């Protein structure tokens, strides 16, 4: 149950120790289904379980999502079938029967911010060219919430710092004004709350929670896409209750607003009515700096050349870098105590490094690109000259040059026996276009992540 233990550690760092002792320490993890991202938590006392879910549910959800790297569904279940009463013992050994919720002491006030992780701050974030726009925008929002950039829509691939920046805004706002009411939830939370409101007919409670805040942050709004009209309406409603009144909203998403499929057009227009910023995969120097910063936070001495070695080999996202560093630190602790070297990193990270370069082939790239642009694989080899086919074909050639060791003639060969100059032309064309075409850039980032994960 390593995963749950990590969650507990972060919870302990997030909520007051009193609340932790009284409430969280009684929670048990019954199962963690990594495949389907389902976590089942249990508690001996049914009413305590309710209280925990009500008061700490969104904090737990944020931590669990953060660690899992995606939206997890959490189910709270009572350990006993008898949900009317359970016995707990006082210090003097006297049994005490909890019969009603009222018998339980109320949890302490957790301050006015809900769902924020205190460790995700601007100070712990490394700024670089790939995120400088998002960094500047979030800093600005944290100083002047509800003014210019409202809503702020942060988008980009997984593990690139969207959630981190969003929480950083909240933590900074709280520092500037400890009384401000911030609600930070995952889209999943938002949906769960709504489902509860429908089931228990408690719309007032739902509205109260989402409308009476100074700032509302909703992570991963792409999960609200699809046949979820009622929920999308609710989000629209919250928007209308907050933004016109100078309350800040931040959304994050894995793609830019216009490309969210099956999302209410009114919402899309609201998403884009403030400022949209992209976070891109960090470049080499930033990756190395992130590693240094995380190592420092862990009091781990990471020489520059080792940081660069890792950064050169792991390119797709920051979460992956963090995992590599964790592994290197563990390896160093258990296997050797000498200085940290490139050799040691190579050994410690062997399996990760192999997986990340797991032979990307021309064929795989052709397959992924064809699927992404919804053209047939055969069009990668065909001579058809429709623009809707030529551009994806050129992008595929470009990616083959960037991501595989194949030579230009080799690549040409496998694109229907084309000449190497055709490949060269495609590579140059895409390289040039990337300098000005942000839409193209975005698509290539997405493709790179799809290929690397
Ligand atoms: P996303 O929400 O975009 O999927 P996260 O914000 O969860 O990504 O980031 C993944 C992990 O990487 C987090 O632990 C976060 O703290 C860390 N991280 C991402 N970008 C940076 C950065 N520029 N500097 C420091 N840490 C970062
Ligand atoms: Mg995230």
């Amino acid at each position: 149950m390593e995963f749950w233990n990590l969650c507990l550690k972060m919870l302990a760092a997030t909520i007051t120790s009193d609340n932790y002792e009284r409430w969280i320490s009684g929670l048990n993890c019954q199962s963690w289904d990594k495949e389907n991202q389902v976590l089942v938590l249990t508690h001996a006392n049914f009413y305590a379980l309710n209280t925990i879910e009500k008061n700490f549910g969104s904090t737990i959800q944020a931590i669990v999502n953060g660690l899992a790297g995606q939206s997890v569904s959490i189910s709270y279940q009572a350990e006993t079938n008898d949900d009317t009463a359970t016995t707990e013992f006082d210090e003097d050994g006297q049994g005490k029967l909890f019969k009603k919720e009222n018998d339980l002491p109320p949890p302490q006030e957790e301050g006015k911010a809900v769902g924020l992780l205190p460790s995700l701050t601007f100070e712990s974030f490394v700024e670089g060219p790939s995120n400088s726009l998002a960094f500047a925008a979030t800093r600005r929002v944290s100083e002047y919430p509800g003014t210019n950039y409202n809503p702020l829509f942060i988008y980009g691939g997984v593990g690139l710092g969207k959630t981190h920046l969003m929480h950083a805004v909240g933590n900074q706002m709280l520092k500037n004004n400890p009384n401000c009411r911030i609600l930070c939830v995952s889209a999943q939370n938002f949906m769960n709350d709504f489902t509860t409101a429908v089931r228990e007919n408690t719309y007032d409670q739902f509205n109260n929670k989402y409308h009476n805040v100074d700032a509302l942050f909703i992570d991963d709004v792409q999960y609200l896409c699809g046949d979820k009209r009622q929920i999308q309406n609710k989000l629209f409603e919250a928007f209308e209750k907050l933004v016109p009144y100078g309350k800040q909203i931040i959304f994050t998403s894995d793609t830019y607003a216009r490309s969210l499929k099956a999302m209410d057009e009114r919402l899309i227009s609201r998403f884009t009515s403030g400022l949209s910023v992209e976070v891109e995969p960090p470049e080499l120097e930033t990756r190395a700096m992130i590693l240094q910063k995380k190592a420092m936070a862990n009091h781990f001495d990471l020489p520059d050349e080792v940081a660069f070695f890792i950064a050169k080999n792991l390119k797709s996202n920051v979460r992956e870098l963090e995992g590599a560093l964790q592994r290197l630190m563990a390896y160093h602790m258990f296997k050797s105590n000498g200085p940290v070297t490139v050799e040691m990193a190579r050994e410690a990270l062997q399996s990760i490094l192999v997986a990340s370069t797991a032979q990307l082939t021309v064929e795989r790239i052709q397959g992924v690109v064809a699927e992404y642009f919804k053209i047939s694989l055969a069009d990668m080899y065909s001579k058809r000259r429709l623009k809707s086919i030529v551009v994806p074909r050129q992008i595929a050639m470009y990616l083959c040059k960037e991501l595989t060791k194949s030579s230009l003639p080799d690549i040409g060969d496998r694109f229907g026996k084309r000449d190497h100059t055709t490949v060269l032309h495609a590579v140059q064309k895409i390289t040039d276009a990337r300098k000005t075409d942000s839409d193209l850039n975005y698509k290539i980032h997405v493709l790179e992540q799809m290929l690397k994960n």
Side-chain angles (χ1 to χ4, degrees):
M1 258 327 136
E2 201 182 330
F3 178 75
W4 178 240
N5 283 336
L6 264 178
C7 296
L8 283 178
K9 264 198 206 145
M10 295 195 63
L11 270 167
T14 307
I15 65 179
T16 64
S17 54
D18 228 53
N19 278 337
Y20 185 88
E21 279 310 313
R22 178 163 294 167
W23 301 101
I24 306 299
S25 61
L27 263 187
N28 295 308
C29 175
Q30 189 188 71
S31 63
W32 162 230
D33 176 351
K34 198 169 168 203
E35 197 100 315
N36 299 306
Q37 303 275 315
V38 178
L39 179 69
V40 180
L41 300 178
T42 60
H43 194 288
N45 184 296
F46 174 75
Y47 292 108
L49 197 64
N50 267 343
T51 309
I52 291 169
E53 187 176 358
K54 204 154 79 198
N55 292 282
F56 307 107
S58 47
T59 309
I60 297 174
Q61 184 82 53
I63 287 176
V64 168
N65 288 353
L67 283 171
Q70 53 181 307
S71 229
V72 171
S73 27
I74 303 182
S75 154
Y76 294 87
Q77 298 176 4
E79 271 162 25
T80 154
N81 293 331
D82 172 16
D83 62 9
T84 55
T86 49
T87 311
E88 287 207 349
F89 290 92
D90 295 342
E91 272 157 41
D92 56 8
Q94 290 255 293
K96 186 174 164 209
L97 220 50
F98 284 134
K99 276 234 176 268
K100 307 192 289 292
E101 191 168 8
N102 295 349
D103 283 350
L104 295 164
Q108 274 179 0
E109 273 270 324
E110 273 294 339
K112 303 215 158 45
V114 174
L116 283 182
L117 296 176
S119 60
L120 301 179
T121 60
F122 288 121
E123 289 73 32
S124 62
F125 192 83
V126 175
E127 192 199 352
S130 58
N131 58 38
S132 59
L133 209 57
F135 188 79
T138 44
R139 281 231 76 124
R140 166 103 196 161
V141 165
S142 71
E143 296 303 331
Y144 305 100
T147 55
N148 280 354
Y149 305 149
N150 200 14
L152 179 64
F153 190 91
I154 309 172
Y155 67 94
V158 286
L160 300 182
K162 301 182 297 294
T163 299
H164 190 135
L165 284 172
M166 184 168 86
H167 283 252
V169 173
N171 285 315
Q172 186 61 38
M173 281 176 69
L174 216 52
K175 222 166 158 188
N176 296 348
N177 173 10
N179 287 323
C180 92
R181 296 161 307 167
I182 302 172
L183 177 57
C184 177
V185 296
S186 65
Q188 193 74 44
N189 278 153
F190 185 76
M191 280 194 283
N192 291 347
D193 281 352
F194 181 65
T195 316
T196 308
V198 173
R199 193 179 56 228
E200 294 171 6
N201 200 6
T202 48
Y203 293 99
D204 285 352
Q205 221 169 315
F206 178 89
N207 290 342
N208 197 26
K209 175 170 178 183
Y210 285 94
H211 299 172
N212 290 321
V213 293
D214 299 312
L216 173 63
F217 302 164
I218 300 191
D219 210 359
D220 291 319
V221 286
Q222 75 273 6
Y223 289 117
L224 303 180
C225 286
D227 190 14
K228 295 173 182 146
R229 222 190 157 77
Q230 277 187 308
I231 288 168
Q232 294 179 11
N233 279 343
K234 275 290 165 198
L235 185 58
F236 182 75
E237 218 175 280
F239 189 100
E240 296 293 290
K241 287 274 185 230
L242 296 172
V243 171
Y245 301 94
K247 313 292 188 194
Q248 180 71 45
I249 292 191
I250 303 181
F251 299 110
T252 74
S253 159
D254 67 352
T255 152
Y256 57 96
R258 285 263 150 235
S259 74
L260 288 170
K261 306 243 155 55
M263 179 67 92
D264 188 345
E265 188 52 41
R266 292 180 310 168
L267 265 179
I268 293 194
S269 93
R270 294 304 185 279
F271 287 157
T272 50
S273 62
L275 177 72
S276 292
V277 283
E278 183 183 2
V279 284
E280 298 180 42
E283 42 305 284
L284 179 65
E285 277 74 27
T286 313
R287 295 201 296 277
M289 213 138 74
I290 290 172
L291 283 165
Q292 293 287 18
K293 188 148 195 156
K294 307 254 173 210
M296 204 133 67
N298 283 289
H299 309 289
F300 182 70
D301 196 9
L302 183 69
D304 270 350
E305 77 253 26
V306 181
F308 270 93
F309 168 77
I310 302 173
K312 265 190 200 131
N313 283 286
L314 298 176
K315 300 178 185 165
S316 63
N317 73 55
V318 180
R319 204 183 301 284
E320 188 179 65
L321 288 177
E322 285 179 338
L325 181 65
Q326 291 291 345
R327 192 180 281 223
L328 178 59
M329 291 192 309
Y331 189 92
H332 180 250
M333 187 152 75
F334 293 121
K335 288 258 170 102
S336 118
N337 259 316
V340 178
T341 61
V342 170
E343 251 340 286
M344 181 188 292
R346 203 189 298 277
E347 248 167 68
L349 306 179
Q350 209 171 23
S351 57
I352 304 186
L353 298 184
V354 170
S356 106
T357 52
Q359 292 326 319
L360 259 184
T361 59
V362 171
E363 286 70 26
R364 177 156 149 67
I365 294 175
Q366 289 173 329
V368 168
V369 175
E371 194 185 314
Y372 180 79
F373 287 103
K374 308 229 170 345
I375 63 174
S376 84
L377 185 57
D379 280 329
M380 286 288 160
Y381 323 108
S382 75
K383 305 277 179 231
R384 295 177 69 190
R385 305 199 46 86
L386 276 174
K387 187 161 181 238
S388 58
I389 291 169
V390 172
V391 175
R393 195 190 286 136
Q394 287 178 331
I395 290 176
M397 289 181 188
Y398 167 86
L399 287 169
C400 289
K401 182 69 198 128
E402 288 281 299
L403 303 176
T404 72
K405 294 203 169 72
S406 313
S407 64
L408 293 175
D410 237 12
I411 297 173
D413 242 14
R414 289 194 262 165
F415 276 83
K417 301 221 174 305
R418 285 182 158 79
D419 194 67
H420 76 275
T421 52
T422 309
V423 182
L424 184 62
H425 171 73
V427 173
Q428 275 167 350
K429 193 169 157 225
I430 300 296
T431 310
D432 284 346
R434 284 194 74 169
K435 290 179 191 144
T436 51
D437 184 345
S438 61
D439 188 46
L440 173 70
N441 246 331
Y442 178 74
K443 286 180 179 145
I444 291 180
H445 288 320
V446 172
L447 283 166
E448 279 172 350
Q449 282 211 329
M450 285 166 74
L451 286 164
K452 281 170 186 167
N453 286 331

